[in-house]
Amino acid sequence: MIMNSNIHDVAVITAEEVMALNFINLSPACHLRRYFRQGLRSHIFEVLDVCDVSKETQGELSKGVRWFPRAVPQKMLRILRTRFSQLSQALDEVNKYTMILKFLGPEFIAVSQEFIVEYHGANGSEIILCGLQEYVQGKALDPWDLSGDNPIDIFFQRHFPGQNSGGKSVKKAIESISFFVKKVKRMAMDEGYIPDLAGNGNLIITARGELKLVDINNIIKVHYNEKIFLDDKKYPSCDKSVEVLAILEQKVMKNKFFLDGQLYRHFFSTERRQRVKELEEKFYQNW
Ligand SMILES: Nc1ncnc2c1ncn2[C@@H]1O[C@H](COP(=O)(O)OP(=O)(O)OP(=O)(O)O)[C@@H](O)[C@H]1O
Ligand SMILES: [Mg+2]
């Protein structure tokens, strides 16, 4: 029970438990539902319109047929598990979010209204970072599952059947990916930060072909030295995120000379790739 444990560590919290948290004051017009997908660093909830939930559960009549349309979230509520001992640390996180918003723009990230709250839990008063985020309806892009000469075409055939091969959405998705890669590379070079692109479900493609980064609280410092950065889960997330950019350049953008760039030259030495592979294997063994 959340009362006796802590929001940072507890594996699962229910919508009812979130509603009882001291910093939540939900409008009666909204309904909270735990999202069916979760990561390791946040608790994620759908914020739904009660009328939509009622249609989903009670159904609605249309042309004599009762339909049960899925309630689409109005927003996503993220409660970060991260422990902040000082307010400045939470503000640093918010600054990183502001930075990716500046570099990628609202077109390429699920925009979030970040807010810092005082949480009264088992350990007394603590700082928590939350976000009310735009919900992105689409399918996760797995960079390691891009096959064939036209991988985005295959992605659309698999996830959005019925769309024309090489159609408008496929073209838009390829264009979105190209812009996204360029913008992320600029951020990595100019600011020395890269978003975690390697995590499961971090990148979503919509049916219209827009690409959005949804995991916006996981921004990694890029160190141009020999040390391989491991994140709090002991995953080489910086090197793997650079790898995602390279895969997209090679397989989607068809850029034959992508490895010439400074970013890749640093991260893609044979010796470094081997060390990253070993660290990754270790991560999965301990999983
Ligand atoms: N705004 C959003 N719209 C749609 N899906 C989302 C949104 N935010 C998160 N998701 C999905 O929820 C799942 C978990 O999200 P996310 O990766 O951001 O979790 P996390 O706990 O913050 O991070 P981590 O992956 O580092 O553990 C992913 O599958 C992601 O696609
Ligand atoms: Mg993630």
Side-chain angles (χ1 to χ4, degrees):
M1 185 65 190
I2 195 84
M3 297 293 278
N4 302 321
S5 55
N6 205 293
I7 200 167
H8 305 283
D9 318 303
V10 70
V12 173
I13 51 172
T14 64
E16 290 68 34
E17 286 167 335
V18 171
M19 298 277 282
L21 292 171
N22 67 290
F23 57 87
I24 298 285
N25 185 7
L26 199 71
S27 150
C30 297
H31 177 91
L32 216 57
R33 180 159 73 189
R34 200 180 138 77
Y35 191 47
F36 73 104
R37 289 208 173 94
Q38 295 285 322
L40 300 170
R41 292 178 178 81
S42 324
H43 299 286
I44 301 179
F45 290 84
E46 299 178 342
V47 181
L48 302 157
D49 184 323
V50 284
C51 299
D52 295 341
V53 177
S54 150
K55 283 181 197 159
E56 184 187 276
T57 50
Q58 316 295 315
E60 62 173 345
L61 276 175
S62 172
K63 295 181 187 151
V65 179
R66 187 165 287 278
W67 300 88
F68 295 86
R70 187 189 151 226
V72 177
Q74 303 289 313
K75 291 275 174 202
M76 299 295 257
L77 170 67
R78 276 169 177 273
I79 304 174
L80 236 77
R81 292 169 178 274
T82 314
R83 279 201 155 84
F84 300 107
S85 50
Q86 287 166 11
L87 179 62
S88 59
Q89 293 171 343
L91 288 169
D92 280 350
E93 280 303 312
V94 178
N95 286 339
K96 283 196 223 162
Y97 164 73
T98 314
M99 180 178 65
I100 49 164
L101 180 60
K102 181 183 136 200
F103 274 86
L104 302 188
E107 203 186 325
F108 293 104
I109 66 168
V111 174
S112 175
Q113 184 69 60
E114 299 283 278
F115 57 98
I116 297 169
V117 296
E118 190 178 329
Y119 158 63
H120 302 291
N123 301 339
S125 167
E126 289 179 78
I127 298 164
I128 298 259
L129 177 61
C130 302
L132 256 188
Q133 195 186 14
E134 164 193 355
Y135 167 63
V136 182
Q137 191 163 15
K139 299 288 176 191
L141 176 74
D142 179 353
W144 286 277
D145 190 24
L146 295 176
S147 52
D149 283 346
N150 298 305
I152 299 302
D153 229 330
I154 294 175
F155 177 90
F156 270 78
Q157 282 165 29
R158 191 189 298 164
H159 296 295
F160 305 108
Q163 296 221 16
N164 293 340
S165 165
K168 222 166 134 189
S169 299
V170 172
K171 285 195 184 114
K172 167 82 181 158
I174 295 171
E175 187 190 272
S176 300
I177 290 171
S178 307
F179 275 124
F180 179 84
V181 167
K182 283 177 194 149
K183 283 167 185 273
V184 173
K185 272 168 76 180
R186 170 142 318 137
M187 189 171 104
M189 302 302 290
D190 291 2
E191 294 287 334
Y193 281 97
I194 189 165
D196 178 8
L197 305 174
N200 214 347
N202 288 4
L203 294 172
I204 293 186
I205 293 196
T206 70
R208 295 223 305 263
E210 297 132 334
L211 172 75
K212 290 230 182 202
L213 172 76
V214 293
D215 195 349
I216 43 105
N217 293 117
N218 212 341
I219 317 295
I220 312 153
K221 182 99 191 97
V222 182
H223 294 282
Y224 291 97
N225 59 28
E226 290 318 303
K227 201 162 174 266
I228 294 171
F229 166 79
L230 295 179
D231 65 15
D232 52 341
K233 310 286 175 210
K234 302 264 180 291
Y235 185 70
S237 54
C238 181
D239 282 69
K240 295 303 286 181
S241 297
V242 175
E243 189 179 321
V244 169
L245 290 178
I247 292 173
L248 296 176
E249 285 219 42
Q250 187 185 20
K251 298 198 172 172
V252 180
M253 297 159 69
K254 313 275 186 206
N255 181 357
K256 286 194 190 124
F257 305 107
F258 70 98
L259 279 177
D260 291 350
Q262 193 195 335
L263 184 68
Y264 301 132
R265 276 209 308 271
H266 175 75
F267 282 93
F268 282 171
S269 72
T270 316
E271 180 269 337
R272 188 175 177 115
R273 292 292 301 261
Q274 182 55 33
R275 281 196 291 145
V276 170
K277 200 166 159 237
E278 285 160 16
L279 290 164
E280 216 187 332
E281 279 164 8
K282 217 161 150 188
F283 167 83
Y284 285 113
Q285 276 160 17
N286 296 332
W287 190 239

